[in-house]
């Protein structure tokens, strides 16, 4: 079950990860129940898998919205897991920089400049997207498996059917 207003209280500067089914949407908590996030036109509550249409957009708008309006009925959590690797910037700097971005239209690329890149850059001063990295690793593993699979098919073909071919013109 998704956390409610009474279960968990984010701290200023926390990263909020919202589960949208096939992907996660990310935001920065700026206090008083509000978040700042990079929202492509398809990022709306309840959009589900159709939010994957964000790959088609080249621009996104930085918005300041009520956390609960953006979360809707989706599950979410505070996710500052990069704190183990990176030093978070001071909370007041995160909030100042996040709020200064509100209303700006920024370049958007699901692979190089998505909502997670935006949020992690605000918190750590370094844009990173673990879901893009994870997806890339999955694609690489699938590609390697397909490559190996094709190699095994070729090997099996050579072993089982690779004998001398008959030439129909031979007598």
């Amino acid at each position: 079950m998704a956390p409610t207003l009474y279960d968990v209280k984010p701290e200023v500067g926390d990263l909020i990860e919202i589960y949208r089914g096939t992907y996660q949407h990310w935001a920065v908590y700026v206090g008083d129940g509000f978040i700042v996030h990079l929202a492509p036109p398809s990022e709306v509550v309840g959009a589900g898998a159709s939010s994957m249409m964000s790959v088609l957009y080249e621009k996104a708008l930085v918005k300041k919205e009520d956390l609960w309006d953006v979360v809707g009925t989706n599950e979410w959590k505070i996710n500052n897991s990069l704190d183990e690797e990176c030093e978070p910037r001071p909370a007041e700097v995160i909030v100042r920089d996040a709020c200064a971005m509100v209303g700006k239209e920024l370049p958007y690329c699901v692979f190089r400049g998505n909502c997670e890149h935006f949020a992690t850059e605000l918190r750590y001063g370094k844009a990173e997207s673990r879901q893009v990295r994870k997806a890339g690793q999955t694609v690489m593993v699938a590609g390697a498996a397909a490559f190996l699979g094709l190699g095994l098919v070729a090997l099996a073909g050579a072993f089982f059917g690779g004998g001398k071919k008959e030439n129909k013109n031979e007598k």
Side-chain angles (χ1 to χ4, degrees), residues 7-152:
D7 294 335
V8 114
K9 176 133 174 55
E11 299 285 326
V12 171
D14 280 344
L15 297 185
I16 306 297
E17 182 179 13
I18 306 164
Y19 298 92
R20 296 279 199 237
T22 55
Y23 73 101
Q24 291 80 41
H25 184 62
W26 290 76
V28 176
Y29 186 75
V30 294
D32 297 324
F34 287 92
I35 58 169
V36 171
H37 62 123
L38 182 63
S42 63
E43 180 50 49
V44 292
V45 175
S50 67
S51 285
M52 289 306 291
M53 294 303 292
S54 64
V55 299
L56 303 176
Y57 296 103
E58 294 181 3
K59 299 279 184 187
L61 187 62
V62 179
K63 295 181 177 182
K64 180 179 179 182
E65 297 183 280
D66 184 275
L67 170 65
W68 305 107
D69 289 345
V70 177
V71 167
T73 59
N74 296 123
E75 291 188 29
W76 68 280
K77 70 177 184 177
I78 296 167
N79 186 345
N80 299 323
S81 61
L82 285 177
D83 285 7
E84 298 165 7
E85 300 171 29
C86 306
E87 178 81 22
R89 299 165 66 213
E92 62 275 2
V93 173
I94 296 169
V95 172
R96 181 197 66 212
D97 291 353
C99 290
M101 302 288 286
V102 172
K104 293 186 179 179
E105 188 176 69
L106 299 178
Y108 183 85
C109 173
V110 74
F111 302 110
R112 292 183 313 273
N114 65 36
C115 58
E116 186 178 3
H117 289 106
F118 175 78
T120 57
E121 185 165 15
L122 284 168
R123 184 167 176 85
Y124 304 108
K126 170 184 167 185
E128 186 169 326
S129 176
R130 287 191 169 178
Q131 64 185 323
V132 167
R133 186 183 332 152
K134 189 176 183 181
Q137 290 169 344
T138 301
V139 168
M140 286 177 61
V141 168
F147 179 75
L148 288 174
L150 288 175
L152 291 174

